[in-house]
Amino acid sequence: MDTTEIAAVMRESQAGKLIFPAVVERLLAAGVESYFVDFAKATENFYGVEGGTYAEPMHLPGGPVAADFSAAGIREAIRAAQGDRIRYPEFVERARAAGVAGYWAYLTGRRVLYLGRKGEMHVEEFPAAA
């Protein structure tokens, strides 16, 4: 995995400079198969196609994760991000407000699992290419 590129992608994403498809494209090119974002620990953990791992701290303001999971709330945040109405910093705020404790993005599997504090889950398939 190209950890220098992963760190650059995370800095740009957390600064609101990238949209999700660009993040996916660059992380795949850097050798990332999947990644897990842990809002409680404020870390992003990357898993490479060759089996390696790498962790980066999140540099966004922390905040509590709502106790109750809202599938509708996370779907609304996802749609806003897909429509480029919000970028990653606001997405993170909305995800926490929707009770998302973390999420696992399977880049090669083209889906994201959003996880609540009590084991709730929402699965979001990547949209089809335009």
Side-chain angles (χ1 to χ4, degrees), residues 4-116:
T4 301
E5 175 66 1
I6 294 168
V9 170
M10 292 302 94
R11 275 192 310 275
E12 292 173 46
S13 180
Q14 291 178 32
K17 296 179 180 178
L18 298 176
I19 59 173
F20 186 66
V23 170
V24 170
E25 181 180 324
R26 287 177 61 187
L27 290 178
L28 283 169
V32 175
E33 180 174 67
S34 67
Y35 65 95
F36 178 71
V37 175
D38 183 338
F39 289 139
K41 264 182 101 172
T43 59
E44 296 178 294
N45 306 282
F46 301 88
Y47 303 86
V49 295
E50 301 297 327
T53 64
Y54 174 71
E56 271 285 318
M58 291 186 76
H59 298 288
L60 294 172
V65 172
D68 295 320
F69 185 79
S70 170
I74 190 58
R75 279 193 302 270
E76 289 173 13
I78 292 165
R79 299 299 172 262
Q82 287 173 339
D84 199 19
R85 294 185 303 279
I86 64 171
R87 294 285 175 102
Y88 194 62
E90 186 175 345
F91 176 81
V92 169
E93 288 178 24
R94 289 189 185 193
R96 287 182 180 134
V100 174
Y103 65 90
W104 203 297
Y106 293 95
L107 305 182
T108 56
R110 301 190 47 78
R111 70 181 47 91
V112 181
L113 279 64
Y114 296 91
L115 310 168

